[in-house]
């Protein structure tokens, strides 16, 4: 499964271009622009599994740094501040990583 089987390539490109400058990433705007926030809970879970590169059931900070590159190879990495802010926004149980339920809640909020 690929991200483009769930989201349109054009929407993904627009979302990644919108946050191409360092420290310009906003997860809410990104999820809206790429179309993820209007997907079903199952589709959001499928996207989570694609983003969970090591299949641990969590997206850790190291994986989050490469978040944009999972959508478009060659996209920039997230800054430390962006990755930390992304995790703290979703990490309801304060374990330092984002689980599938936390990701879904964040996308749909």
């Amino acid at each position: 499964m690929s991200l483009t089987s769930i989201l349109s390539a054009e929407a993904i490109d627009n979302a990644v271009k919108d946050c191409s400058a360092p420290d310009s990433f906003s997860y809410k705007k990104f999820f809206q622009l790429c179309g993820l926030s209007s997907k079903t809970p199952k589709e959001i879970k499928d996207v989570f599994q694609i983003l969970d590169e090591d299949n641990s059931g969590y997206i850790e900070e190291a994986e989050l740094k490469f978040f944009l590159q999972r959508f478009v190879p060659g996209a920039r990495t997230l800054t430390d501040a962006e990755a930390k802010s992304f995790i703290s926004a979703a990490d309801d149980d304060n374990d330092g990583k984002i689980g599938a339920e936390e990701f879904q809640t964040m996308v749909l909020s």
Side-chain angles (χ1 to χ4, degrees), residues 76-90:
R76 71 176 181 89
T77 56
L78 293 183
T79 64
D80 287 343
E82 288 170 320
K84 284 181 188 348
S85 154
F86 196 161
I87 283 190
S88 66

Side-chain angles (χ1 to χ4, degrees), residues 10-80:
E10 185 182 351
I12 289 171
D13 283 344
N14 287 340
V16 171
K17 280 185 185 130
D18 184 71
C19 59
S20 59
D23 292 317
S24 66
F25 178 75
S26 159
Y27 66 87
K28 283 186 178 182
K29 190 169 186 190
F30 184 85
F31 293 150
Q32 286 171 339
L33 287 174
C34 75
L36 188 57
S37 52
S38 62
K39 296 297 175 184
T40 66
K42 177 177 181 339
E43 289 169 317
I44 293 169
K45 207 160 258 184
D46 290 343
V47 168
F48 175 86
Q49 289 173 334
I50 293 167
L51 297 174
D52 177 18
E53 208 164 2
D54 63 4
N55 295 314
S56 66
Y58 296 95
I59 301 174
E60 294 87 6
E61 191 172 334
E63 289 169 315
L64 261 190
K65 284 182 125 354
F66 300 101
F67 178 81
L68 297 175
Q69 293 175 2
R70 304 294 292 154
F71 287 87
V72 176
R76 71 176 181 89
T77 56
L78 293 183
T79 64
D80 287 343

